[in-house]
Amino acid sequence: SGINAEYGVYQRIVSETDRTSAQGLRQFTARLFGTVPSPLFFGLIIDWTCSVWRVSSDGTVGNCWIYDVDKLVMAFTVAQVILAIISCTFFWLCWCWFPTPAEVNGDTAEMEPRIQGTKGNVEMERLVAEVADVHDETTTNG
């Protein structure tokens, strides 16, 4: 998904007073679920694509000598697509189901509509109306 999407969701669903604690919790969970298991996960994919393993004289298996490159590329691509879909799904769920800080505080003037994305249009209409009012005042006074 990316850092910008993460930051937008993070800013939208966490109140201003809780953002420092939430950022610490977010960093902790990112490290716990990202940094710790990812080498194991991608290591399994790399080992799965090995074609020829080094075997010593006593029968112990060593490191990989030859990888099936086509299989490796396909496995990494599928893994990245699946992880991106999971990430986007969780961002969408947070965006839809978590209330904005304005909704929690009951400030209806600050509430943003869900999913429709019309807040920018409402603000643009308000700006156009203000410019039209200023234009009407200058033409009637001058």
Side-chain angles (χ1 to χ4, degrees), residues 10-31:
Y10 166 72
Q11 292 295 322
R12 184 168 191 252
I13 65 174
V14 177
S15 67
E16 193 170 334
T17 57
D18 296 333
R19 285 189 181 146
T20 304
S21 300
Q23 184 176 4
L25 182 63
R26 182 179 56 85
Q27 289 286 19
F28 172 75
T29 56
R31 298 299 177 253

Side-chain angles (χ1 to χ4, degrees), residues 7 18 29-30 34 41 45 68 83 87 107 109 115 124 128 137:
Y7 187 73
D18 296 333
T29 56
F41 175 70
I45 291 175
D68 183 352
L83 292 173
S87 177
D107 186 6
I115 299 177
M124 182 60 85
V128 169
E137 289 176 9

